[in-house]
Amino acid sequence: MNEFTYYITEFLNHIIGSIPLFGAELLLIATFIVSILGSLFLAKRFPQATFNITCIGLILTLFILLQQYAANTVGGGFFDLLLIDRLSIISRLLMGFSALVIALFMRQYALKTKNARNVSDAYSILLTATLGLFLLVSSTHWLMLYIAIETVSISSYILVAYFAAKKQQSEAAMKYILFGSVCAAIMLYGLSLIYGFTGNLNFASQEQLTGLTSTPNVVMGVAFFLLFTGIGFKLSFVPFHAWTPDVYEGAPTAITAFLATLPKVAVVVLLARILQSWTASPFFYSDILIYGVTAVAIASMLLGNMAALRQQQVKRMMAYSSIGQIGILLMAALVYQGDNAHILLYYLTIYTLMNLAVFIFIDRLEHQLGSTTIADYRGLGKKQPLLFSCFTFVLISLIGLPPTAGFMSKLLVFSSVFDSFQSTGSTCYLLLLIIGASTAAISLFFYFKIPTTAFLKDYKQDSTVQNPNDSQVDTLYILAIIFSFSLLILGLFPSLLLNILK
Amino acid sequence: MISITHFLIVSACIFSLGIYAILAKRNAIMILVGIELIINAAILNFVAFGRYDKIHYGGQVFALFAMVLAAAAVAVGLAIILNVYRHYRTINPDQITDLKD
């Protein structure tokens, strides 16, 4: 024990020195505790107390992150458990902002469904999920990453199950937690193998890279397969996508919007970091990893877009289309080299804006019609011109047609993939480009089902579907319309955002 | 003399048992038990490998955190399964198929 006494002062100084880097997360933890206390003691007198605490906490967190952004903070802390760089600061800003929108979304959902139960705890869970996501993008240490992934997963299970009142919702929650826990457990086994082979838990460290080089290839292949099972579940790429349609359909729309955006952003950033440090070093699996990611991306794009073609439920269609979108996200992660983070971040920002806007529109229509079937949208385009014009515009952006921001973001990703193809001459980049472009054409057919049904078919009064009224205007709806317009503006002037991200 | 190979073989056996319990899927609780088995196999690996990591003790710390997280996930899982049982009166995943293509 005595040999440690010399180091204790040094350790303590290091820990105290790391605390400023951890400011945003500490504030989230404090907000979480305050919000739990708020829901315990204030919920009876002020029903919105927890929501307000959550919003204030998230806004203050964004403020701290903006300070880090302005100061251009870079550095590691807590014995390399924490890594703060440009990528982590900007992706955390994006996720903090989206969490704020999701909090508004959840409030709207709770108000509209007139849920008699006290929903204030759901906001606290949203805060823990955000905390996990923040840690996920700011670490290269497997211990931290596993804790972060599990924090996000457990919070997501609770969020899906929290509002479950109907049969299908509880089924979705059960499928989600069983599938998710299995994948997380398998990933843990893979991590234990990697730890055993390399003796180090930091995937960016030199020791782990040399350890990976000297391990037998077959064993390493098993370990990688197990590891990517866990990552694959969170990103829902093929063949770990089976839960996505069921959970997206069964979960409340506010939670579906959460699942479709925030965890994807965080895990793509993580995957980009892993691929960057592993493919750069010359060990047996560095090439095979690229082939594997390419194969998975191609399979996801084909299967997601094909399966989306025959969906009648709009949420199920969005689930399959998000599997297709993952292919492009994997392409963006594959070409991440450290200095071109702005391409990845631009794509992630636009992806988040599009998906949030689409789910806000779906939710609004769901509350008006009481249904999420595409056929029930018929003739509504003339009744609600503003909603459906914006909806159509966001869908055009999801396909990736000009002049939208979706087009610009895809163009940036595709052109950097093409650059990699020219510099390496590897056919897998070319295959990615071909499949990416052709599946975008396929996606035209199912995304355009919504505007054609809404604008070209006649409105019919149906007894099963309620009469829609467009009188209510709420914050969330205005926000979705602002998102649609910003997609247009960012599509015409992408440098507005790219300069911030550089 | 018990070497590290023995630990690895035992943990691989536990891992396979866990996978079997999950794939057989008669009962949602059995799937949770399978998950626990896999996690324990991984923890055994971590502690066995941690013996060679005298500087950081990364494996042992990881094992502690993995236990805590596994307990949390299982607590949430049991609550959700209870909720499913209230609606369906069964917890056999093969009979709970309202959501499908």
Side-chain angles (χ1 to χ4, degrees), chain A residues 165 171 175 177 192 195 316 320, chain B residues 45 53 59 77 88 96 98 101:
Chain A
E171 183 192 340
K175 282 185 171 165
I177 189 167
S192 77
Y195 171 66
R316 240 183 142 77
Y320 278 113
Chain B
N45 263 355
D53 184 12
Y88 286 87
I96 305 173
D98 277 3
D101 279 321

Side-chain angles (χ1 to χ4, degrees), chain A residues 31-54:
Chain A
T31 317
F32 170 68
I33 294 168
V34 174
S35 74
I36 286 278
L37 292 176
S39 76
L40 268 178
F41 299 115
L42 298 174
K44 284 216 176 96
R45 212 174 298 162
F46 312 101
Q48 296 299 326
T50 329
F51 170 73
N52 292 332
I53 293 168
T54 308

Side-chain angles (χ1 to χ4, degrees), chain A residues 284-293:
Chain A
F284 180 69
Y285 276 99
S286 50
D287 281 338
I288 293 183
L289 266 181
I290 294 181
Y291 296 143
V293 172

Side-chain angles (χ1 to χ4, degrees), chain A residues 401-463:
Chain A
L401 294 177
T404 59
F407 168 72
M408 274 319 293
S409 59
K410 270 193 184 168
L411 183 70
L412 284 169
V413 172
F414 280 26
S415 58
S416 62
V417 170
F418 189 68
D419 286 345
S420 315
F421 168 65
Q422 282 189 320
S423 60
T424 60
S426 166
T427 35
C428 56
Y429 291 116
L430 195 64
L431 266 176
L432 275 177
L433 284 176
I434 294 167
I435 303 287
S438 50
T439 49
I442 298 174
S443 69
L444 193 72
F445 290 98
F446 61 83
Y447 283 130
F448 260 48
K449 236 194 251 173
I450 294 172
T452 47
T453 322
F455 285 108
L456 300 181
K457 290 196 178 158
D458 286 332
Y459 177 72
K460 249 195 294 179
Q461 181 66 47
D462 198 329
S463 56

